[in-house]
Amino acid sequence: MLQVFGPQRQVVLARELTKLFEDIHRCPLGEAPAWLEQDANRQRGEFVVLLEGAAPAGDEDAEGERVLRILLEELPLKQAAALAAQITGQKKNALYERALQLRQDAQADDQEGE
């Protein structure tokens, strides 16, 4: 797991849940092997391992803008932003602001072209 996910990803090691010697420990994945080796008892029993999910990809904004551009071709600005928010899960206000900016950029391009 350490090689695949890297040392900074958080992990929870839950050992012997609901039993007398229950032990729950949270740490960066890079520190987990040392924690387990500190005490031989930490290596025994039944484990549940929880690994933190990956950080959201940076292309989320790009997807929101792509959807917003498509919707703006057919719908009023407010409706396009609301639908883009439903589709992408992004915040409606941020998409509305981006839609305003896209409209202003398009108007500026039209004026330069004339």
Side-chain angles (χ1 to χ4, degrees):
M1 287 174 53
L2 185 58
Q3 290 175 348
V4 173
F5 298 111
Q8 297 307 314
R9 182 94 52 113
Q10 292 290 308
V11 65
V12 174
L13 302 171
R15 188 179 73 82
E16 298 294 322
L17 291 177
T18 71
K19 296 182 181 166
L20 182 61
F21 298 105
E22 179 178 301
D23 193 8
I24 299 174
H25 179 73
R26 179 184 173 143
C27 65
L29 193 52
E31 296 174 14
W35 180 80
L36 286 167
E37 291 171 4
Q38 284 177 351
D39 183 352
N41 287 323
R42 292 180 182 165
Q43 299 171 29
R44 297 181 191 184
E46 299 170 354
F47 283 82
V48 173
V49 179
L50 302 169
L51 187 63
E52 177 182 43
D59 58 32
E60 182 178 303
D61 291 339
E63 177 65 8
E65 185 167 324
R66 185 186 75 78
V67 170
L68 191 56
R69 285 178 185 271
I70 293 168
L71 293 173
L72 281 171
E73 291 176 9
E74 302 294 330
L75 299 171
L77 190 132
K78 184 176 180 180
Q79 191 177 8
L83 285 174
Q86 287 179 357
I87 292 167
T88 64
Q90 295 181 23
K91 296 190 185 272
K92 183 172 68 173
N93 289 343
L95 288 167
Y96 185 83
E97 291 296 321
R98 183 63 184 139
L100 284 174
Q101 186 178 7
L102 290 171
R103 282 264 166 99
Q104 289 172 352
D105 292 348
Q107 290 173 352
D109 289 344
D110 288 345
Q111 289 176 356
E112 288 178 11
E114 292 176 0

